[in-house]
Amino acid sequence: MVQSDIIKKHHFVFSKKYGQNFIFDKNLLQAIVEDAAITSGDDVIEIGPGAGTLSYMIAKKAKTLTCYEIDHNLEGILQESLAGLDNVKVIYQDILKVDVSQLDEQYPNGYHIVANLPYYITTPIIFKFLEESKKIKSMTIMVQKEVGLRMIAPVGSKDYGALTVSLGYRATVEYKRTVKRQLFTPAPNVDSCIIRIDFTKSPYHVQHEETLQRLIKCAFAMRRKTLVNNLRQEFGLDLESGQQLLESLKIDPQIRGEKLTIAQFIELSNKL
Ligand code: SAM
């Protein structure tokens, strides 16, 4: 039975609270798995399997698939739609409560995340894995189009911000495709996109990650302020030494944070 029929059979009621907008379109599901570049040696984690449509496609390609689903009402549906696949496990747990260091231990050779993310917690999920995992290799995720555009925004643009820089110094980020809202059941109010974040290809070397994270946060905390003013507040510098610091890196002392490239963020954090 196809998954959309399984959903009907179980009289499933979509929950807005859990961001349940499912995908049944086979071509799109196929494209997402191709975007993720999963191969038969890969261990994959899926966040929010829903009716198991994407899960089924991933499991056919991957070595193992572990799904984390918050909604117990999907148990019967997932059992049916993933029946016969012996490399899949579904854990009914809130992904935000999962201990990432334990996941890292479980997958010493690393793992990939593939997910059509629930929109209400997109950024917390991304930052959880970004900050806590040392073993994650890639993340291929469906997010709201505007969030995807923030991830790949060029320096100086209105979308360029903490998300762009935090991802950009750790990984390479690719915008794979736009996904129109009509392809979801039920259809949300916005379009989406597929983003692939590859943590195995980071072009930068960071010496003091904690300082860099503080710098990113303060640079975008008050976007209308000059960088030097934000620096004074966060790092307790006086105006003159702040300006000298920027000049020593050939950065305009009047610059705003949004004009600072990722390479400059790293240089500055190394000096700080
Ligand atoms: N993967 C399915 C698909 O593409 O059709 C469903 C995607 S739907 C956008 C998001 C899924 O995430 C839902 O199944 C929802 O119940 C689940 N979810 C929501 N919050 C969650 C959380 N905190 N932890 C784990 N799963 C969650």
Side-chain angles (χ1 to χ4, degrees):
M1 202 186 289
V2 290
Q3 279 106 337
S4 50
D5 292 337
I6 300 177
I7 285 263
K8 278 187 205 131
K9 192 183 101 184
H10 286 260
H11 305 292
F12 180 71
V13 181
F14 288 89
S15 151
K16 239 192 172 143
K17 178 175 83 170
Y18 289 145
Q20 288 176 342
N21 303 96
F22 292 0
I23 297 281
F24 295 102
D25 185 285
K26 281 234 156 57
N27 292 331
L28 174 58
L29 294 164
Q30 195 72 48
I32 298 172
V33 177
E34 273 163 31
D35 289 341
I38 296 302
T39 60
S40 57
D42 289 333
D43 293 307
V44 180
I45 292 176
E46 186 193 3
I47 300 160
T53 49
L54 182 59
S55 332
Y56 187 88
M57 301 280 207
I58 301 168
K60 287 274 176 200
K61 290 257 172 181
K63 183 170 140 211
T64 68
L65 172 66
T66 304
C67 307
Y68 287 90
E69 175 56 64
I70 199 168
D71 188 356
H72 284 272
N73 290 330
L74 286 161
E75 262 187 83
I77 293 169
L78 281 167
Q79 245 169 36
E80 198 165 326
S81 61
L82 302 177
L85 294 166
D86 56 10
N87 57 344
V88 185
K89 186 165 66 181
V90 183
I91 298 171
Y92 291 90
Q93 192 182 350
D94 179 348
I95 191 66
L96 292 178
K97 299 209 172 117
V98 168
D99 182 345
V100 172
S101 64
Q102 271 183 15
L103 277 186
D104 281 4
E105 272 172 35
Q106 224 173 301
Y107 300 104
N109 299 322
Y111 59 91
H112 301 263
I113 287 184
V114 183
N116 172 10
L117 288 179
Y119 292 158
Y120 73 108
I121 44 168
T122 302
T123 341
I125 292 176
I126 295 172
F127 274 98
K128 181 179 173 80
F129 283 91
L130 215 58
E131 287 170 358
E132 296 172 26
S133 177
K134 298 197 167 39
K135 291 290 177 185
I136 185 163
K137 288 178 168 168
S138 75
M139 246 181 160
T140 305
I141 46 180
M142 175 103 75
V143 296
Q144 275 188 41
K145 190 174 169 190
E146 52 153 32
V147 177
L149 292 176
R150 272 169 39 210
M151 292 180 185
I152 54 152
V155 60
S157 65
K158 75 168 181 13
D159 283 339
Y160 186 75
L163 182 62
T164 327
V165 181
S166 301
L167 278 175
Y169 83 79
R170 292 176 168 101
T172 56
V173 184
E174 264 182 283
Y175 186 101
K176 288 291 192 180
R177 64 188 70 243
T178 301
V179 179
K180 291 282 177 202
R181 63 195 80 181
Q182 296 82 351
L183 283 166
F184 294 83
T185 308
N189 298 327
V190 289
D191 292 332
S192 295
C193 66
I194 302 290
I195 296 284
R196 184 167 195 271
I197 304 165
D198 190 331
F199 295 94
T200 66
K201 292 187 202 150
S202 165
Y204 299 106
H205 175 67
V206 178
Q207 284 171 16
H208 301 284
E209 195 156 7
E210 206 184 305
T211 311
L212 177 58
Q213 284 168 4
R214 273 174 70 197
L215 175 60
I216 296 170
K217 224 175 231 168
C218 89
F220 294 107
M222 275 165 276
R223 291 181 81 106
R224 305 217 50 78
K225 274 194 178 182
T226 57
L227 178 64
V228 80
N229 271 325
N230 281 330
L231 282 178
R232 284 170 68 191
Q233 207 157 330
E234 175 67 26
F235 292 93
L237 300 174
D238 59 54
L239 181 63
E240 201 182 337
S241 46
Q243 288 179 332
Q244 276 171 3
L245 178 64
L246 294 180
E247 278 166 354
S248 74
L249 293 167
K250 302 197 168 44
I251 297 170
D252 174 2
Q254 296 305 319
I255 201 169
R256 290 187 211 282
E258 64 203 21
K259 290 267 174 8
L260 209 62
T261 65
I262 295 175
Q264 286 174 323
F265 265 103
I266 292 167
E267 278 182 357
L268 183 55
S269 78
N270 288 346
K271 277 254 176 177
L272 277 164

